[in-house]
C-alpha cells in the first residue's frame, strides 16, 4: 500500500482479496502496510488489485515462504509487549535469561531477582521439558507456569516458556508472554499451526539439522494462520565437532536478516553446552547483529535439574550485560537495562 493509504483503504483491499477466495494478511511496517495474499493456487490476477485506491504496487513473491519474506514486508518486524517498554526486533537488544527448568519457587525467584537486577527484560524457564531421556526431569508443568506468572508480577519480567504439545500450548498461552517452540518441535507443523491461531508472540528455535529455508518455513506456518509475531532463535546445529554440544551457526543471523523481516535471537547456552563458552558466544551474537540473546542462568548450576553445565552464574550474567552493552553501542544499538511496566489501572 502507499505510505499515505488510509486504514479504510487497507481494509477494502483485504476485503477484496477475501472475496476472491484468498486469505489477506495485513502486515503494517514503519513506512507502509504490506498486504500478503495466500491461499491462491496459481498466479493472482493483478489488474484489478493495482487499480484499488491506496495500492502502490502488486509484487509476486516467488519464494516458498511469503509472509516471512522481506519481499512481502521490507521493514523489520518489531514485537511489542503491551504495558511495557520492551520490544523484540527493534533497535534494542532483547535479553532473555533464566534457568533451563523451573525447579522450585525459591530457585526461580532467586534467579529472577538476580537477572532482573542486572537488567534482563525477559525471563525464561522450562515448565514442560522435551528431554532426550524419558527418565529425566520433565518439568513442573502448570505449577511452573504459576511461579513464572508471579515472577512477572514481582519483577515486571516478561515470560518466555516452551509448549511441547497442544495441551501445554493452551496453558502457556494463558500464563506466558511468549510461546517457545523448541528445536525438537520446529517441524511439528500441527503445533506450529496451533501457535499460529493464538495471538501471542511465538519464538521458534532452529531444529538441530534445519536449513535456513526449513527454519523460515516454520515461521511461515505460524504466520499463515494469522499470527505475525514470530521470533526466530539460533541455538546450534549438529556437526562433527565434539568440543561443544552443538555448533552455534552465527552466520544464520545475517542470512535470516537478508531474507526475512523477522527478529532473530541467539542462544549460546544450548549452542555450546559449556559454561566457559557461553559468554564469548553471547558477545559474538550481539556483534553479528542478533536482535537478542537467550541465556541460561542458575545460582547453583552444579545442583541444577537440567543443563547445569551450560548455565552461567548470576555474577557472570551481570558482567556479560556490561560487555554486551558496549558491543551493542558500536553497532548503534542499545541493551536496555530493566523493563518499565505501566502501573495497572484498576
Ligand atoms: C530450551 O530452551 O530450554 C530448550 C530445550 O532449547 P532447545 O529446544 O533449543 O533444545
Ligand atoms: Mn536447557
Amino acid at each position: 500500500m502507499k505510505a499515505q493509504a488510509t486504514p479504510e483503504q487497507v481494509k477494502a483491499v483485504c476485503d477484496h482479496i477475501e472475496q476472491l477466495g484468498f486469505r489477506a494478511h495485513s502486515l503494517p511496517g514503519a513506512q507502509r502496510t504490506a498486504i500478503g495474499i495466500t491461499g491462491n493456487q496459481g498466479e493472482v490476477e493483478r489488474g484489478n488489485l493495482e487499480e484499488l485506491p491506496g495500492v502502490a504496487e502488486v509484487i509476486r513473491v516467488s519464494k516458498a515462504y511469503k509472509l516471512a519474506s522481506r519481499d512481502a514486508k521490507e521493514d523489520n518486524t518489531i514485537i511489542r509487549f503491551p504495558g511495557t517498554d520492551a520490544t523484540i526486533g527493534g533497535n534494542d537488544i532483547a535479553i532473555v535469561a533464566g534457568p533451563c527448568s523451573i525447579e522450585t519457587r525459591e530457585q526461580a525467584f532467586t534467579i529472577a531477582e538476580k537477572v532482573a537486577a542486572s537488567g534482563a527484560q525477559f525471563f525464561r524457564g522450562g515448565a514442560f521439558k522435551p528431554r532426550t531421556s524419558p527418565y529425566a526431569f520433565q518439568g513442573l508443568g502448570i505449577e511452573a507456569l504459576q511461579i513464572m506468572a508471579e515472577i512477572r508480577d514481582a519483577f515486571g519480567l516478561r515470560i518466555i516458556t516452551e509448549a511441547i504439545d497442544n495441551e501445554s500450548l493452551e496453558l502457556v498461552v494463558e500464563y506466558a508472554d511468549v510461546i517457545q517452540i523448541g528445536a525438537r518441535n520446529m517441524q511439528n507443523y500441527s503445533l506450529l499451526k496451533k501457535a499460529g491461531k493464538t495471538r501471542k508472540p511465538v519464538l521458534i528455535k532452529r531444529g538441530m539439522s534445519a536449513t535456513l529455508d526449513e527454519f523460515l518455513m516454520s515461521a511461515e506456518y505460524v504466520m499463515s494462520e494469522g499470527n505475525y509475531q514470530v521470533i526466530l532463535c539460533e541455538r546450534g546445529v549438529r556437526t562433527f565437532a565434539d568440543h561443544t554440544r552443538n555448533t552455534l551457526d552465527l552466520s544464520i543471523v545475517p542470512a535470516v536478516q537478508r531474507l526475512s523481516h523477522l527478529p532473530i535471537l541467539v542462544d549460546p547456552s544450548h549452542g555450546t553446552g559449556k559454561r566457559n563458552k557461553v559468554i564469548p558466544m553471547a558477545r559474538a551474537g550481539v556483534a553479528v547483529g542478533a536482535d537478542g540473546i537467550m541465556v541460561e542462568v542458575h545460582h547453583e548450576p552444579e545442583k541444577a535439574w537440567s543443563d547445569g553445565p551450560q548455565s552461567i552464574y548470576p555474577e557472570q550474567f551481570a558482567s556479560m550485560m556490561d560487555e554486551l552493552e558496549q558491543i551493542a553501542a558500536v553497532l548503534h544499538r542499545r541493551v536496555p537495562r530493566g523493563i518499565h511496566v505501566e502501573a495497572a489501572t484498576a
Side-chain angles (χ1 to χ4, degrees):
M1 300 297 287
K2 291 177 182 153
Q4 67 276 20
T6 65
E8 291 74 28
Q9 288 174 337
V10 171
K11 183 169 183 305
V13 173
C14 289
D15 289 347
H16 181 87
I17 293 164
E18 303 270 342
Q19 272 160 23
L20 293 172
F22 308 137
R23 186 152 183 179
H25 304 265
S26 172
L27 307 166
Q31 305 306 324
R32 57 186 197 166
T33 293
I35 302 173
I37 304 177
T38 61
N40 52 303
Q41 294 305 327
E43 203 164 326
V44 175
E45 232 252 89
R46 62 178 66 217
N48 282 324
L49 284 171
E50 265 165 355
E51 297 310 318
L52 294 176
V55 172
E57 54 184 333
V58 177
I59 301 164
R60 196 171 114 80
V61 179
S62 52
K63 294 195 180 71
Y65 45 88
K66 299 180 187 298
L67 303 172
S69 150
R70 256 201 215 280
D71 298 351
K73 177 175 179 265
E74 230 175 282
D75 303 327
N76 288 340
T77 285
I78 303 178
I79 293 166
R80 297 177 196 282
F81 294 85
T84 78
D85 61 346
T87 57
I88 300 181
N91 197 50
D92 285 359
I93 292 172
I95 306 294
V96 185
C100 180
S101 306
I102 302 296
E103 300 165 6
T104 64
R105 192 173 182 281
E106 199 193 347
Q107 171 252 16
F109 266 77
T110 303
I111 298 166
E113 193 204 334
K114 290 189 190 286
V115 300
S118 300
Q121 292 186 315
F122 298 89
F123 184 72
R124 61 147 291 142
F128 303 94
K129 297 302 300 177
R131 302 303 299 280
T132 304
S133 163
Y135 309 117
F137 175 57
Q138 307 281 309
L140 293 184
I142 187 160
E143 194 188 332
L145 297 177
Q146 287 162 345
I147 292 168
M148 286 188 279
E150 279 185 59
I151 283 174
R152 176 177 46 227
D153 291 345
F155 304 106
L157 296 163
R158 299 297 104 168
I159 305 300
I160 304 188
T161 193
E162 178 168 355
I164 53 173
D165 53 23
N166 285 349
E167 291 98 280
S168 56
L169 183 88
E170 277 167 27
L171 290 167
V172 167
V173 168
E174 199 181 316
Y175 287 92
D177 300 289
V178 177
I179 306 161
Q180 177 171 323
I181 303 291
R184 290 157 193 80
N185 271 316
M186 190 207 82
Q187 288 180 310
N188 181 339
Y189 300 122
S190 69
L191 188 61
L192 292 170
K193 281 202 235 179
K194 179 128 179 164
K197 288 194 166 73
T198 75
R199 290 299 174 262
K200 281 263 162 96
V202 180
L203 179 139
I204 306 176
K205 299 191 82 175
R206 182 181 180 191
M208 355 214 146
S209 62
T211 63
L212 173 57
D213 270 27
E214 289 164 345
F215 196 16
L216 292 174
M217 284 308 264
S218 295
E220 189 75 15
Y221 259 96
V222 175
M223 299 178 82
S224 71
E225 296 292 338
N227 186 351
Y228 312 120
Q229 302 196 83
V230 178
I231 305 151
L232 301 166
C233 181
E234 161 61 27
R235 47 78 73 205
V237 290
R238 216 168 252 202
T239 67
F240 54 85
D242 58 3
H243 61 287
T244 50
R245 178 178 174 184
N246 293 295
T247 297
L248 192 65
D249 177 17
L250 289 176
S251 70
I252 202 158
V253 173
V256 162
Q257 289 168 340
R258 188 181 163 93
L259 295 173
S260 175
H261 52 86
L262 296 173
I264 176 157
L265 310 191
V266 164
D267 169 356
S269 304
H270 295 88
T272 65
K274 313 229 173 181
R275 183 176 310 123
N276 63 36
K277 299 182 176 62
V278 170
I279 293 178
M281 295 311 277
R283 292 187 206 120
V286 172
V288 82
D291 298 298
I293 299 294
M294 171 182 273
V295 67
E296 288 183 340
V297 179
H298 201 295
H299 62 304
E300 290 175 329
E302 50 298 320
K303 294 191 193 153
W305 296 3
S306 59
D307 286 350
Q310 67 191 35
S311 300
I312 59 171
Y313 290 94
E315 305 71 49
Q316 291 181 291
F317 177 72
S319 58
M320 182 192 86
M321 288 293 277
D322 293 337
E323 293 173 357
L324 299 189
E325 188 170 13
Q326 294 183 56
I327 296 168
V330 174
L331 303 169
H332 309 289
R333 294 186 80 171
R334 205 171 70 105
V335 175
R337 290 303 187 100
I339 184 164
H340 298 101
V341 182
E342 283 168 22
T345 45

